[in-house]
Amino acid sequence: DAKGFPGTTPPVTPPAQVASARTPVYGPAVRAWSLPWAIARTAKVEGIFIHHQASTSDDESYFKTKNDRSSWPTFQAKASGEIVEFAHPDNQQPSSTQGNNGNTLSIETQNTSGAPLWGISDASHESIAQVVAWASKRYGFPIDAAHVRKHSDVYATACPGPSMDVPRILKRAIEINTPTVPEPDP
């Protein structure tokens, strides 16, 4: 205010940060969200971290808000196998693996059961393998255990739980990216 009296000028409320729909980068994704609070990617994508949501709920609405954990993945794999895209894979880093997000993508997976097994559906395993195969081609990293890792590989956590079968995902992603040669007609 002109006279410098405290409290006479109402505080400025920053605009709400709301996710808005956008076209997915990953073609099979059923939806994609633009997250205005996401951090810009400054490093080349060199791998993927796999997580679980630690819930059987559909946490899509949670990930598309500036939530209490400041957590947003690149992708969510629903128990149905549907993929939803959050952080833009090319130009935003996820916030889900402590300080290991700068050069990775991340996938949060909806559980089919709680602790101790933290169930993961067959459809989720397949959709994660599809994302891994796509990302490997797009960003040029190998499909192996050094580039496709569990959250628990870098941090003391139960995430993504014992039901997440990463070797199965790696094997399937390699199959997807390996062209098959048809058998010659006899």
Side-chain angles (χ1 to χ4, degrees):
D1 71 79
K3 300 205 187 267
F5 293 105
T8 56
T9 305
V12 176
T13 304
Q17 293 190 351
V18 179
S20 57
R22 65 173 171 81
T23 302
V25 174
Y26 175 63
V30 295
R31 274 178 299 290
W33 297 101
S34 179
L35 308 179
W37 56 85
I39 299 165
R41 183 177 296 290
T42 59
K44 178 184 175 200
V45 173
E46 296 178 357
I48 295 179
F49 276 106
I50 301 174
H51 303 264
H52 72 162
Q53 293 176 186
S55 87
T56 58
S57 303
D58 181 350
D59 288 348
E60 182 175 350
S61 61
Y62 179 78
F63 292 130
K64 72 178 199 175
T65 61
K66 192 164 184 181
N67 55 63
D68 59 333
R69 289 182 15 218
S70 295
S71 175
W72 60 86
T74 313
F75 302 102
Q76 175 196 30
K78 296 181 185 262
S80 66
E82 289 182 325
I83 295 291
V84 177
E85 192 176 288
F86 294 94
H88 190 292
D90 292 342
N91 58 32
Q92 292 179 323
Q93 67 184 43
S95 176
S96 55
T97 321
Q98 287 72 26
N100 296 287
N101 299 302
N103 64 345
T104 63
L105 305 175
S106 71
I107 302 172
E108 288 278 356
T109 312
Q110 180 181 9
N111 295 99
T112 58
S113 65
L117 293 181
W118 301 110
I120 304 294
S121 71
D122 286 337
S124 288
H125 277 94
E126 175 63 22
S127 64
I128 293 168
Q130 295 284 339
V131 169
V132 168
W134 169 84
S136 171
K137 280 185 174 180
R138 184 174 185 91
Y139 302 107
F141 61 82
I143 299 171
D144 61 25
H147 294 87
V148 180
R149 301 174 71 191
K150 299 182 296 184
H151 186 183
S152 58
D153 289 341
V154 296
Y155 188 74
T157 178
C159 179
S163 295
M164 182 65 72
D165 189 344
V166 175
R168 171 183 170 186
I169 290 167
L170 295 174
K171 180 180 179 198
R172 178 66 180 125
I174 291 167
E175 288 172 359
I176 294 165
N177 280 0
T178 303
T180 57
V181 179
E183 294 288 323
D185 289 335

